[in-house]
Amino acid sequence: MRGWKRLVAGLAGLMAAVAPAGAQPEPTAPPPASPSSYVDPFIGTDGTGHTFPGPARPFGMIQPGPDNADTGWEYTSGYQYRAPQIIGFSHTRASGTGIPELGDVLLMPSATRRPAMASGKAGEMARAGYYAVTLPDNGVKVELTASLRSAMHRYTFSQSGRVWVLVDLQHGLTFRTDEQPVQSIANRFGPDSFEGEAVRRNWTTRTIAWSVRFNRPIAAVEVLPPRAGDAAPRYMLAFDLPEGERTLLVKAGMATTDAQGARGNREEVFGWDFDALAAAAQAEWDALLARATIEGPASQQRSFTTALYHVFLHPSVVSDVDGRFRGPDGRIRTAPAGHLRYSTFSLWDTFRAAHPLYTLLAPERVDDFVASLLDHQQAAGRLPKWPIWGGETGTMIGEPALPVIAEAWAKGFRGFDGSRALAAMVATSTRDAVPVYEGDHSISQWSLYDRYGYYPTDVTGGEAVSRSLEAGIGDAATARMAAMLGEKAEAKRFGKRAESWRKLIDPETRLARGRDAAGGWRTPFDPLTPTSPLNNPGDYTEANAWQYTWTPALHDPEGLVKALGGKKAAGAMLDRFFFELPVTKGAEYLGQEAMIGQYAHGNEPSHHVAWLYAYTDRPERTAALVRRIAESFYRDTPDGLVGNEDAGQMSAWYVFATLGFYPIDPVSANYVAGLPLTPRAVLRVPGRAELMIEQAGCKEGPVGVSLEGKAYPVTALPHAALVKGGTLVLSGCARR
């Protein structure tokens, strides 16, 4: 149900969702011996999830997979489940983004030389580390697998003799129609290989290098005539398969550095044993996914395990086998021995739940994640907003790297220099940013912000309220980092600035409302209409006033509740938000997907709001809402993600919801407790004691949180206690 008009009807709907009358529950399935057997890479590939079904290793550099198109918002990962044709198989991509990028070096095999190489598809299947499809128009079965930095293809043709492979170096996932994405390119052929480098400019400016080798000699190279607008070559390569042989194998390495780096990455895989490589990929996924298992029906197991899989696809390694990587300034650097460097940080999304989940389930990655952010700042002068393939896109608002760094330090990670980190945070929080692209108004303009204490609507250039509120998230993170390091002056300075959100809470409506340079409130004020800089410019970023008013809770939940009139008044506002206000009608690019009242789960600004009942006089409501959101907007089907996956954030929310707690304020190093969506979950992280999570069932009284017999406040379940292991019992009723 959507658009509930009255609170009573809304609460009744919630209760029905929690315990529908006469419902027959799906039988519980035990955790499998092979956790990856529950992974379905097709979840989220149909619609706006924008995931991809191709294989990858955890946090892998390379993701070979099918492309249905090379442009369009629907094809930001190159793929849509419902698309009837495949145009080829490229090697790099991002999971669930809202802008197309990567998609490098497209290959397309065929048993015959066809003028148009696109084909229909049949028998398409995917599992963790493996993808396969038959191309009936081309007479070939394609199988793909991957190592950390290298892809392997296996083509099984319908015949022996001469077969063909299209090589398209012009192809890439792009949104640019105003400019050629290929800025420069070089390519060289060997007897059984080709390699080269290109500079491409689309979402970011980046260097892509490749080295591709076949297990048979190239019999002929035909250069295809360029199409209108092409700036890079396309080739038809011929191969002669001996009588009785129908298989051709390909190894492909990519790099941010140069062809030498790509060649080294390619040879990360020794030999040509495709099945062994696919088995190794599955084994690596099994080991990682086994860190969090749940009890529940098979459909829930598929949703949960695939969510973990999606969370662990990014950030992506960008350092080569020899440790080299290219930074945002174009210079090549080398990671310290034994360490990795990463990119594809969708920070505006992932600081909320994905990065907190890494601290819980993949702690061995966290120090290198932070070091990667600090290396970026050293090269670019400021911490990144949204880097991909080593380059900066400048996308979204605020400074979301700041809470990621401060959270890591607050949770005890010490594999990076704290003083260096604080210096990078202060520099990023005080120096005006230079626009990455012309007309970019989402950058941090600290001289303007400090002058007024907020971004004024009449001089900022757009998204003034959202930018002001998200500045507070970064300021609070910097203040806390400074305090943890004993830098009292900096802690006081940024702590004071983190309170600036209070200037935008309108006392009349108690909503976050824009103000001009003279201090006047935005008039007329429409709190329900969402705005977005490209489609409906205004004061908010892919959201409206109601949705953004809850933003200060990401660093000051108690302060926001008090500003809204206290626990009872804040609870009443939440009731109105979820149950009384109508559903906003708007397209996906305005962030209005997966709606419950004004709650929009399809976009990140709403993700923490259901958990805020824990700070009101009715904490029991969190559990019912979280369950409704999880059951309404997550399914084990191709259309099972409603809203962009955003490099793991949508899935991280679901993982936390299933476990029964959530990091509203990640830098606090505490979680807010609700009720698990499973009777029992177990976290088994190497180097840590096992954590058992149990739901005690519906018991009258307040929500209860007990870890090893010790009670904790529902709003302050410490990360430090969870990682010590034991049994966590969450109790209460999902009711009013």
Side-chain angles (χ1 to χ4, degrees):
M1 291 191 293
R2 295 182 177 182
W4 291 325
K5 301 301 182 183
R6 297 191 302 117
L7 173 60
V8 173
L11 290 173
L14 273 178
M15 294 316 302
V18 173
Q24 297 298 315
E26 187 180 346
T28 295
S34 172
S36 67
S37 65
Y38 276 137
V39 171
D40 182 355
F42 288 108
I43 292 176
T45 60
D46 188 9
T48 60
H50 292 181
T51 60
F52 63 90
R57 292 294 181 98
F59 307 102
M61 173 185 282
I62 198 164
Q63 304 88 17
D67 289 352
N68 309 123
D70 60 3
T71 191
W73 185 76
E74 296 88 349
Y75 298 98
T76 60
S77 74
Y79 182 86
Q80 278 285 331
Y81 183 80
R82 70 185 71 180
Q85 283 195 321
I86 292 174
I87 63 174
F89 303 88
S90 64
H91 292 83
T92 54
R93 66 199 74 240
S95 177
T97 59
I99 297 177
E101 181 59 282
L102 306 181
D104 297 299
V105 187
L106 181 136
L107 305 180
M108 186 59 160
S110 181
T112 58
R113 194 190 188 291
R114 305 176 63 232
M117 293 284 278
S119 173
K121 57 184 181 179
E124 192 173 30
M125 66 88 63
R127 62 175 184 263
Y130 175 84
Y131 169 88
V133 66
T134 296
L135 306 177
D137 301 321
N138 292 6
V140 59
K141 178 181 179 180
V142 175
E143 297 171 277
L144 305 173
T145 190
S147 70
L148 182 66
R149 301 178 179 89
S150 179
M152 186 177 286
H153 304 221
R154 180 163 65 188
Y155 305 147
T156 304
F157 296 92
S158 57
Q159 62 187 46
S160 302
R162 177 150 290 194
V163 296
W164 302 86
V165 175
L166 167 69
V167 176
D168 188 342
L169 300 180
Q170 174 68 37
H171 177 84
L173 305 176
T174 179
F175 68 93
R176 299 299 292 262
T177 58
D178 59 328
E179 181 181 297
Q180 167 61 244
V182 179
Q183 305 295 295
S184 63
I185 189 165
N187 185 66
R188 302 165 292 279
F189 280 96
D192 61 355
S193 62
F194 66 92
E195 62 184 31
E197 308 92 7
V199 175
R200 299 183 70 103
R201 183 161 66 188
N202 176 45
W203 193 9
T204 188
T205 299
R206 61 189 178 90
T207 296
I208 173 68
W210 57 88
S211 183
V212 179
R213 185 182 178 194
F214 301 88
N215 73 328
R216 299 184 186 278
I218 301 172
V221 177
E222 296 183 19
V223 181
L224 296 176
R227 301 161 299 188
D230 277 1
R234 297 180 304 132
Y235 308 96
M236 289 294 293
L237 308 186
F239 298 86
D240 292 327
L241 303 183
E243 183 68 27
E245 294 289 334
R246 297 190 296 121
T247 301
L248 178 68
L249 294 168
V250 189
K251 285 195 292 190
M254 304 287 141
T256 67
T257 52
D258 49 33
Q260 176 186 338
R263 193 181 319 129
N265 293 342
R266 182 195 77 196
E267 293 307 313
E268 178 180 65
V269 176
F270 297 100
W272 294 94
D273 193 332
F274 181 94
D275 292 328
L277 186 62
Q282 182 174 347
E284 185 174 350
W285 278 112
D286 278 331
L288 184 58
L289 297 171
R291 295 184 180 189
T293 58
I294 65 170
E295 292 183 5
S299 60
Q300 185 184 24
Q301 299 268 17
R302 284 190 292 270
S303 292
F304 180 81
T305 311
T306 304
L308 282 175
Y309 169 82
H310 282 144
V311 172
F312 293 145
L313 288 173
H314 297 305
S316 297
V317 169
V318 290
S319 49
D320 295 342
V321 168
D322 62 7
R324 296 185 307 144
F325 64 98
R326 190 181 298 271
D329 58 353
R331 292 179 55 196
I332 295 176
R333 295 171 172 81
T334 302
H339 293 270
L340 298 169
R341 289 297 178 263
Y342 297 84
S343 192
T344 310
F345 287 92
S346 185
L347 292 165
W348 183 80
D349 310 290
T350 56
F351 87 86
R352 304 163 195 266
H355 279 278
L357 193 59
Y358 302 140
T359 69
L360 190 65
L361 295 180
E364 72 278 11
R365 304 273 178 173
V366 172
D367 285 324
D368 280 353
F369 287 166
V370 174
S372 299
L373 300 178
L374 297 180
D375 283 352
H376 185 110
Q377 187 275 334
Q378 185 177 40
R382 63 185 304 103
L383 291 162
K385 284 177 178 284
W386 212 126
I388 189 169
W389 203 249
E392 175 64 278
T393 68
T395 300
M396 303 313 293
I397 61 173
E399 297 295 349
L402 301 174
V404 172
I405 296 170
E407 177 196 16
W409 196 264
K411 290 181 175 178
F413 292 91
R414 295 294 184 268
F416 58 95
D417 186 327
S419 296
R420 178 192 176 197
L422 178 60
M425 295 170 75
V426 170
T428 302
S429 302
T430 53
R431 301 173 189 170
D432 285 358
V434 176
V436 175
Y437 56 89
E438 186 177 354
D440 180 10
H441 299 298
S442 66
I443 59 172
S444 296
Q445 299 168 281
W446 298 117
S447 57
L448 183 66
Y449 186 79
D450 286 337
R451 179 180 176 184
Y452 295 99
Y454 56 90
Y455 286 114
T457 57
D458 53 339
V459 295
T460 296
E463 303 171 89
V465 176
S466 292
R467 290 173 59 193
S468 298
L469 297 180
E470 298 219 9
I473 300 170
D475 287 339
T478 304
R480 292 179 185 180
M481 187 70 177
M484 288 185 287
L485 292 170
E487 298 291 342
K488 296 180 180 179
E490 294 288 43
K492 182 178 179 180
R493 173 190 180 189
F494 287 100
K496 181 179 180 181
R497 202 168 77 170
E499 296 285 320
S500 293
W501 61 269
R502 298 178 183 277
K503 298 182 176 70
L504 297 185
I505 300 297
D506 170 23
E508 179 183 351
T509 64
R510 289 187 295 168
L511 297 175
R513 181 174 178 179
R515 304 181 80 163
D516 60 25
W521 294 105
R522 165 71 77 183
T523 303
F525 177 49
D526 179 0
L528 292 178
T529 297
T531 64
S532 184
L534 295 180
N535 303 291
N536 184 34
D539 294 340
Y540 306 93
T541 301
E542 301 174 5
N544 61 27
W546 267 100
Q547 291 157 358
Y548 248 99
T549 293
W550 310 104
T551 298
L554 292 169
H555 62 95
D556 189 5
E558 292 91 350
L560 178 62
V561 166
K562 185 176 180 180
L564 297 180
K567 290 186 175 183
K568 185 174 182 179
M573 281 190 69
L574 285 170
D575 290 344
R576 189 178 178 202
F577 179 73
F578 282 103
F579 309 130
E580 296 183 59
L581 294 172
V583 173
T584 294
K585 303 298 183 182
E588 294 88 351
Y589 52 71
L590 293 176
Q592 306 305 294
E593 282 188 282
M595 303 293 291
I596 299 176
Q598 277 296 299
Y599 178 86
H601 190 71
N603 206 20
E604 279 69 21
S606 288
H607 273 195
H608 65 294
V609 182
W611 301 87
L612 289 180
Y613 273 111
Y615 293 91
T616 74
D617 62 337
R618 56 205 83 176
E620 297 83 4
R621 292 193 182 169
T622 284
L625 271 167
V626 167
R627 180 173 290 275
R628 179 170 180 81
I629 294 164
E631 293 181 350
S632 298
F633 306 129
Y634 293 87
R635 298 181 300 278
D636 62 331
T637 57
D639 62 351
L641 287 176
V642 186
N644 294 169
E645 164 66 5
D646 286 322
Q649 171 59 26
M650 283 286 286
S651 289
W653 187 97
Y654 181 78
V655 171
F656 273 121
T658 304
L659 298 179
F661 50 90
Y662 188 80
I664 285 181
D665 176 5
V667 183
S668 72
N670 289 323
Y671 302 95
V672 170
L675 291 179
L677 304 181
T678 174
R680 183 174 290 102
V682 183
L683 307 188
R684 302 178 181 90
V685 178
R688 292 178 177 173
E690 181 177 290
L691 176 67
M692 180 83 71
I693 302 168
E694 296 182 346
Q695 181 182 154
C698 187
K699 296 181 179 180
E700 294 300 331
V703 174
V705 181
S706 172
L707 178 58
E708 288 297 278
K710 180 179 178 179
Y712 288 94
V714 69
T715 57
L717 175 59
H719 177 85
L722 292 182
V723 299
K724 291 179 181 178
T727 299
L728 172 66
V729 179
L730 301 174
S731 61
C733 288
R735 62 177 57 166
R736 186 175 180 178

